[in-house]
Amino acid sequence: MSRTRTGESAAPTGAPGTDPHRWWGLVIIALAQLMVVLDATIVNIALPSAQHDLGMSDGNRQWVITAYTLAFGGLLLLGGRIADLVGRRRTFVVGLIGFAGASALGGAATGPGMLFGARALQGAFAAVLAPSALSLLTTTFTDPRERGKAFGIYGALAGSGSAIGFIAGGLLTEYLNWRWCLYVNIPIAVAAVLGAYALLRDSPAQKGARLDVLGAVLGCGGLVSLVYGFSEAEPRGWTDPLVLSLFALAVVLLAAFVRWQTKAPSPLLPLHIVKDRNRAGCFLTMTLAVTGMFGMFLFLTYYLQVVLGYSPVRTGLAFLPLTIAIIIGSTQISARLLPRVAPRVLMVPGTVLAAGGMFVFTRITVDSAYASRLLPGLILMGLGMGLIFMPVFATATAGVAPRDSGVTSATVNTSQQVGGSIGTALLNTIATTSGTAFVAAHLGDAAHRELIVREGIVHGYTVAIWWAVGIMLLAGLVAGLMVTVKPAARLPSNAPVPESVG
């Protein structure tokens, strides 16, 4: 069987020197990716203000976050296939315009239902936008050296976007109001649309190709059921009939999806994409790593504001060292080393560093000092995530035929979103259960009730963080055993990453 050379099939923008605008095009792609990633967290710090303004109940406020991640994670595969069938730049622009419109709707919300709906709509358009952005990057930069630099920047944004969202959310909430956490997307989207038409080249639509509607229903339905089940496990409990039913439905739908993909004339997810050992290892590593990472964002946000009494702005700025460390890990370490070393040589140490940072967080108390207890953990975790994200994105999308680049990019993003949703629900349930048990066991001392409650909250966080440490180390084990591809510099220029046999 002949080897597909990505550089020959892709647009000529990937050849060094043929398109002087390709690096400006990267700026446009990065802007869109930053907007999508930070929007998953930018409203977290603003949530108390939005809840008070719109009269949300404590039980319903979670839907401001969950509506976005459900729509995003559940529809990403469909969005990736649409990008392949319709054209990547066209899909990219539609996603940007729709995301801006949904953001305007959410910013103008007059009640909880309107805000929940707008957040779900944001997630749906993000599912169209994210895979088209990554596939544009994949087909634009095919030279190994340029590809490493481009993916270093992209990986830094993917890893640090959530932390940037916390900083921006704190600033906008404290100095303007919570609605600007949504309105801020509009100027970013307008700039990206104009830049896309000026700087990015479109891929031709695949003539005669059809969208796998049944595959979309089964795959998206299974992912939505899975993520929804984890989101409901926290308020309802793991043995609740609804939660168990959602998990069972997810298993049935995803099993049916896999079976249908072996027979579908135009499959939504060609199974050869996930059958490759290296690519599957990247998907699983991303899912596990982000599971722990998103849990950290949740716990540290509440720890800083509720336990230590930080303001929204101070809380957001507290994440700045994490953001800087992720950028350094991605652009200054991973991007420089990936052409010369195997991806797992970066990914495995990255998971160990990130797990080490989380271990530092297991030592927090009700009065820990930021400089001595939190700062070292943030730096270690940031450097570790920077070593993980960039090689995962670059390796997972390398060597994919142009017709499959959109759906492959979507699968990477799906791993990230599903991992984040699972991590938030799973670790939050562990923290809540452990904290409640601690308080119940120590409430005999009524004179110190307030201190005991705070100690219970912190105890719950540390128990959950230990679980996150284990999950992160498991990600390192997966990367070490499954991602066996050689360094990019040892491959011919523009050649795809060799797929594993079987």
Side-chain angles (χ1 to χ4, degrees), residues 345-376:
V345 173
L346 297 172
M347 294 161 64
V348 174
T351 60
V352 174
L353 278 176
M358 293 178 180
F359 171 77
V360 174
F361 297 143
T362 65
R363 318 309 298 168
I364 60 174
T365 64
V366 294
D367 56 359
S368 292
Y370 176 83
S372 62
R373 187 65 70 193
L374 297 178
L375 183 59

Side-chain angles (χ1 to χ4, degrees), residues 29-39 157 160-162 164-165 188:
I29 296 170
L31 267 179
Q33 174 67 12
L34 178 63
M35 182 178 67
V36 167
V37 174
L38 69 82
D39 217 75
L157 288 171
S160 64
S162 297
I164 294 172
I188 297 176

Side-chain angles (χ1 to χ4, degrees), residues 63-397:
W63 286 104
V64 176
I65 307 299
T66 308
Y68 181 84
T69 56
L70 275 174
F72 196 177
L75 297 174
L76 266 167
L77 286 176
L78 180 62
R81 182 50 77 190
I82 290 174
D84 289 331
L85 297 181
V86 176
R88 298 180 190 99
R89 189 182 69 176
R90 188 177 307 161
T91 307
F92 183 75
V93 170
V94 170
L96 284 169
I97 294 173
F99 197 91
S103 298
L105 182 65
T110 56
M114 185 174 176
L115 181 58
F116 300 157
R119 289 287 287 167
L121 199 58
Q122 274 187 310
F125 280 107
V128 173
L129 177 59
S132 59
L134 185 53
S135 59
L136 280 168
L137 182 64
T138 301
T139 54
T140 298
F141 295 93
T142 56
D143 178 78
R145 191 169 297 277
E146 287 197 345
R147 183 184 178 89
K149 293 178 181 177
F151 272 92
I153 296 171
Y154 187 89
L157 288 171
S160 64
S162 297
I164 294 172
F166 283 116
I167 298 172
L171 292 170
L172 292 170
T173 300
E174 189 152 326
Y175 294 110
L176 293 172
N177 62 54
W178 67 268
R179 297 180 185 275
W180 280 95
C181 291
L182 295 164
Y183 288 146
V184 71
N185 293 318
I186 299 174
I188 297 176
V190 170
V193 168
L194 296 176
Y197 279 116
L199 301 169
L200 299 177
R201 297 188 182 183
D202 205 358
S203 59
Q206 294 183 17
K207 296 181 179 180
R210 294 180 300 170
L211 192 63
D212 180 12
V213 178
L214 179 58
V217 172
L218 293 174
C220 296
L223 288 174
V224 168
S225 297
L226 179 64
V227 176
Y228 186 27
F230 276 107
S231 70
E232 287 296 303
E234 190 274 324
R236 294 175 178 270
W238 293 100
T239 59
D240 182 83
L242 176 61
V243 174
L244 295 177
S245 298
L246 287 168
F247 287 150
L249 179 61
V251 171
V252 171
L253 290 176
L254 291 175
F257 169 77
V258 172
R259 181 171 178 79
W260 170 246
Q261 294 308 285
T262 63
K263 301 185 294 183
S266 299
L268 184 66
L269 176 61
L271 293 184
H272 65 265
I273 290 175
V274 294
K275 284 181 178 179
D276 173 58
R277 175 176 180 169
N278 294 293
R279 203 166 288 126
C282 286
F283 296 151
L284 187 53
T285 299
M286 174 66 83
T287 301
L288 292 170
V290 175
T291 295
M293 180 179 173
F294 267 56
M296 290 303 95
F297 287 153
L298 177 68
F299 298 142
L300 289 181
T301 300
Y302 276 91
Y303 176 72
L304 291 170
Q305 291 196 59
V306 176
V307 179
L308 298 185
Y310 280 29
S311 68
V313 169
R314 192 179 178 190
T315 299
L317 292 176
F319 284 98
L320 188 57
L322 174 70
T323 304
I324 295 173
I326 291 176
I327 292 173
I328 292 173
S330 292
T331 62
Q332 301 304 311
I333 301 177
S334 291
R336 294 175 184 271
L337 293 180
L338 188 60
R340 297 190 292 273
V341 302
R344 65 177 173 180
V345 173
L346 297 172
M347 294 161 64
V348 174
T351 60
V352 174
L353 278 176
M358 293 178 180
F359 171 77
V360 174
F361 297 143
T362 65
R363 318 309 298 168
I364 60 174
T365 64
V366 294
D367 56 359
S368 292
Y370 176 83
S372 62
R373 187 65 70 193
L374 297 178
L375 183 59
L378 289 169
I379 293 174
L380 285 174
M381 186 174 175
L383 288 173
M385 297 308 294
L387 292 178
I388 298 169
F389 275 112
M390 185 270 176
V392 164
F393 279 121
T395 305
T397 57

Side-chain angles (χ1 to χ4, degrees), residues 49-61:
S49 299
Q51 180 182 359
H52 179 269
D53 194 15
L54 299 180
M56 284 181 243
S57 68
D58 289 344
N60 288 334
R61 66 186 177 187

Side-chain angles (χ1 to χ4, degrees), residues 433-445 452-453 455-456 459:
T433 304
S434 301
T436 302
F438 180 93
V439 172
H442 294 81
L443 267 186
D445 187 1
I452 290 172
V453 170
E455 288 179 341
H459 174 76

